[in-house]
């Protein structure tokens, strides 16, 4: 069971878009995702280590280096509306989705 | 939802924006006119881009300008649509000619707005056609055609 956090600057815009795209993909693929949440960067920095995966816009990935060092998969998205990009990157991340 | 943009008069069409800052100032105009946001909201959005980079560009050609809604500059959860005649570049890679400006006041209303917006944004064919609209009539035609 995989938990995924979507983060962006405000926590109510881009991260919500990412979370919605993600939910759609998870449903379509039938992935084993136990929890998804979206939030802003401040909250994300604190809570990222509690998740298996963090999704964020490409230019924010450096912010999650501490979480990455603890084993969290940090995935930067160029196109937050793209179900294809989210699918490909999550599948390539190595987390046990099925 | 597309129809709502026109019905609420939350649309704006501009031939050309010389730079991204003026594009962001322009895209909030319908919401300011309607009392949904204060004029300062444009400044909030611009400051966000200065601070965080152009993360508001969701995908090539499409931006979703927004900022925190809790500083008093957002009076009502709302969305507006702007079509710019030229591609507005935020940096070498990120550009937009479609701007869906979001203002969030009430979390439930905001979520509902975002879900409706997602329906539009995830419809690739509709998005392609939106890049060609020039007027409210064009939008209404698409609203009818795509039933959205």
């Amino acid at each position: 069971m995989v938990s995924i956090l979507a983060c962006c600057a405000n926590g109510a815009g881009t991260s919500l878009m990412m979370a919605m795209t993600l939910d759609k993909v998870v449903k379509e693929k039938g992935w084993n995702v136990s929890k998804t949440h979206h939030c802003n960067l401040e909250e994300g920095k604190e809570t990222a280590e509690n998740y298996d995966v963090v999704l964020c816009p490409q230019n924010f990935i450096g912010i999650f280096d501490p979480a990455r060092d603890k084993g969290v998969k940090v995935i930067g998205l160029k196109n937050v509306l793209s179900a294809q990009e989210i699918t490909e990157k999550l599948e390539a991340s190595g987390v046990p989705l099925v | 939802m597309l129809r709502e943009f026109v019905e609420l008069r939350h649309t704006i069409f501009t031939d050309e924006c010389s730079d991204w800052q003026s594009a962001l100032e322009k895209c909030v105009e319908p919401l300011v006119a309607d009392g949904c946001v204060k004029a300062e909201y444009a400044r909030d959005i611009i400051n966000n881009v200065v601070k965080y980079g152009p993360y508001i560009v969701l995908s090539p050609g499409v931006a979703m300008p927004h900022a925190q809604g809790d500083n008093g500059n957002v009076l009502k959860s709302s969305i507006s649509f702007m079509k710019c005649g030229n591609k507005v570049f935020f940096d070498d890679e990120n550009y937009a000619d479609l701007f869906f400006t979001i203002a969030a006041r009430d979390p439930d209303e905001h979520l509902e707005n975002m879900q409706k917006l997602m329906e539009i944004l995830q419809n690739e064919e509709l998005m392609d056609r939106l890049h060609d609209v020039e007027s409210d009539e064009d939008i209404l035609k698409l609203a009818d055609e795509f039933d959205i």
Side-chain angles (χ1 to χ4, degrees), chain A residues 1-3 13 15 18-21 25 32 34-35 41 43 45 63 66 68-69 72 74-75 77 79 82 88 91-92:
Chain A
M1 294 274 271
V2 173
S3 58
S15 63
M18 279 191 282
M20 290 202 267
T21 310
V25 169
N32 215 348
S34 60
K35 179 165 133 150
L41 291 174
E43 191 190 321
K45 266 191 280 185
I63 294 179
R68 194 213 319 255
D69 292 340
V72 177
V74 180
I75 297 180
L77 297 175
N79 180 342
S82 168
E88 282 173 3
E91 282 175 344

Side-chain angles (χ1 to χ4, degrees), chain B residues 81-142:
Chain B
F81 171 84
M82 177 166 95
K83 167 73 175 37
C84 184
N86 65 309
K87 289 185 174 134
V88 177
F89 277 84
F90 289 77
D91 61 20
D92 285 339
E93 269 187 42
N94 289 287
Y95 68 89
D97 59 345
L98 292 179
F99 293 75
F100 294 88
T101 307
I102 301 242
R105 171 74 192 252
D106 172 291
D108 289 328
E109 259 179 20
H110 174 59
L111 185 53
E112 207 184 304
N113 277 342
M114 291 288 271
Q115 279 167 338
K116 286 190 205 158
L117 185 56
M118 269 299 262
E119 261 186 66
I120 297 177
L121 295 176
Q122 298 216 311
N123 187 325
E124 283 182 24
E125 202 191 323
L126 172 56
M127 290 302 291
D128 270 342
R129 304 280 293 280
L130 276 171
H131 284 286
D132 290 330
V133 300
E134 289 179 349
S135 64
D136 282 345
E137 286 71 41
D138 289 345
I139 295 188
L140 288 175
K141 274 194 212 139
L142 287 179

